[in-house]
Amino acid sequence: MTDTAGKYDRFSGFYDSFEALIERRAFSKYRKRALSLAKGKVLEIGVGTGKNLPYYPEDVEVTGIDFSRGMLEKAERRRRELGLKNVKLMLMDAQNLEFGDNTFDTVVSTFVFCTVPDPMKGLKEAYRVLKPGGRAIFLEHMKSESRLLNIPLYLMDPVMRALTGTSMVRETQRNIERAGFKIERVENLFFDIVRLIIARKP
């Protein structure tokens, strides 16, 4: 287990409460928008406590992975409560996906690549398991292009790294491109700090 996974195991008991206000005010509508775009056989990287599960279309087949047992236990409870039979949850590291090449029609990550210890390794794995022509949906927070907006992010960064292993200042959009994805559309949802990025595997 990585140190980051251990932090999320310890954090899992009150993770949803910690994010309840921002989830209710903003993140839930962002998730609904992002997940409406998922099609076919879907891999969700970093399923966490299963916050995305209510928003998937009924006709998709979802495999959700996470590196924290504690978070997966919460997600499994949510899956059962929602009565979802098209969702499978697995303990797995995003940096070492246990799937063959070109397996999924859609890859989803929501607020994940701020936390993956080696984001480029994780993104390259996501690229590998996505079918050619497949869609990648990234709902992520990241470093802004504005120096002014970055001031609070840099102030928050050491606290969030210590608490959850989360970086507030990663250049995730650039990392997505470096991993080989072709970005089709970017929507700035909260300034340019929270972005919905739709990409394809050529």
Side-chain angles (χ1 to χ4, degrees):
M1 178 190 294
T2 66
D3 181 57
T4 305
K7 287 178 179 178
Y8 274 88
D9 279 347
R10 294 187 291 273
F11 198 31
S12 62
F14 55 93
Y15 182 79
D16 286 349
S17 298
F18 178 75
E19 289 195 336
L21 181 60
I22 195 168
E23 186 69 33
R24 188 167 59 250
R25 295 282 180 87
F27 285 1
S28 60
K29 66 181 178 183
Y30 298 162
R31 293 180 197 277
K32 187 175 183 179
R33 166 77 180 119
L35 275 299
S36 69
L37 303 173
K39 293 182 178 180
K41 191 173 182 180
V42 179
L43 172 66
E44 181 176 341
I45 296 173
V47 69
T49 62
K51 290 181 180 180
N52 288 333
L53 298 185
Y55 304 114
Y56 279 105
E58 292 183 1
D59 61 348
V60 300
E61 176 188 340
V62 181
T63 300
I65 66 118
D66 206 282
F67 63 177
S68 164
R69 289 185 186 276
M71 301 292 271
L72 278 175
E73 288 171 3
K74 299 286 185 181
E76 175 58 24
R77 188 178 307 162
R78 182 168 271 147
R79 185 196 68 79
R80 289 196 304 267
E81 289 172 353
L82 292 169
L84 298 176
K85 297 182 179 180
N86 62 333
V87 175
K88 176 172 64 175
L89 302 173
M90 302 176 69
L91 183 68
M92 197 179 301
D93 187 342
Q95 301 168 132
N96 295 285
L97 296 176
E98 300 167 18
F99 306 109
D101 297 354
N102 309 323
T103 298
F104 295 95
D105 302 295
T106 307
V107 170
V108 170
S109 83
T110 62
F111 308 110
V112 169
F113 281 99
C114 52
T115 301
V116 175
D118 186 338
M120 284 306 303
K121 189 173 182 181
L123 285 164
K124 286 178 180 179
E125 279 289 271
Y127 184 90
R128 179 182 66 79
V129 303
L130 185 63
K131 293 177 182 178
R135 173 182 284 166
I137 302 166
F138 300 98
L139 174 59
E140 301 282 351
H141 69 78
M142 62 198 74
K143 184 178 178 181
S144 173
E145 297 299 323
S146 163
R147 291 184 179 180
L148 183 62
L149 290 175
N150 283 331
I151 292 172
L153 300 184
Y154 276 106
L155 291 173
M156 293 167 62
D157 193 59
V159 176
M160 294 305 296
R161 282 182 183 273
L163 184 62
T164 64
T166 296
S167 171
M168 303 300 295
V169 290
R170 283 192 176 161
E171 297 183 347
T172 300
Q173 183 171 330
R174 290 186 177 88
N175 288 341
I176 290 167
E177 293 177 296
R178 291 182 190 122
F181 291 99
K182 180 180 179 181
I183 293 178
E184 294 189 332
R185 186 168 81 253
V186 178
E187 297 180 20
N188 292 336
L189 301 177
F190 180 72
F191 300 97
D192 65 342
I193 296 171
V194 178
R195 306 179 201 178
L196 175 59
I197 299 171
I198 309 302
R200 294 273 183 184
K201 179 176 179 176

